[in-house]
Amino acid sequence: MNAAASNIVISLLAMQVAKKVDFSDPQILMGVRIAYVAVQIIILGTYYYVSYKIKQKNDMTVLKYVEPPNPMTKEEGHLVTTTVRDYDLQETSKLVRSVYMGLAMMTFMHLYMKYTQPLFVQALMGLKGLYDAKLVAIHILGKPAEGDLKRPFKSGGFMGVAANPQTDKAAIDAAEKRASKKDE
């Protein structure tokens, strides 16, 4: 089962379990709050550890790819030349930002709008997201960067349809020619 389908299944099951939990009990509510915060700390700690491991490995292998074009514009994708270290650090930064955004959204929903069930669901989904993170698989679980874990990472997109980075030589050469024409 792919990650998107398993996320839906886990979300639906977690929502059904959350309906059975008595969130009006202050002890249960405090337990769910503590669990949510603990999961967020674990996730952030793991991502910061991944960042440490990336810096420790210091893989300066050159990585070239053509970034997918924005579907809203008629511009073509542009060439990106980076290193594996910098690419992984950039991806880790995106993951950390998404955790902070989710944390801000949950704080707003829980404290201002008084929703409690999303805390329970997001605690479980946070752990699932951590397990699915490609950088965690590479740098902590020790899986080789092959197939789905090959850099640059393919984005899942909506229903599996997304513009993915192009790594073939023809696309890179064409992007280099476009870049050199713009420079002239």
Side-chain angles (χ1 to χ4, degrees), residues 64-69 77 79 152 164-169 171-172 178:
K64 281 186 175 184
Y65 62 94
V66 179
E67 217 169 63
L79 179 68
N164 290 314
Q166 297 174 320
T167 56
D168 59 294
K169 185 164 175 39
I172 292 172
R178 283 194 307 270

Side-chain angles (χ1 to χ4, degrees), residues 75-78 175-184:
E75 293 180 15
E76 296 183 31
H78 67 278
E176 284 176 342
K177 287 179 185 175
R178 283 194 307 270
S180 66
K181 285 181 183 179
K182 286 182 183 178
D183 290 342
E184 293 175 357

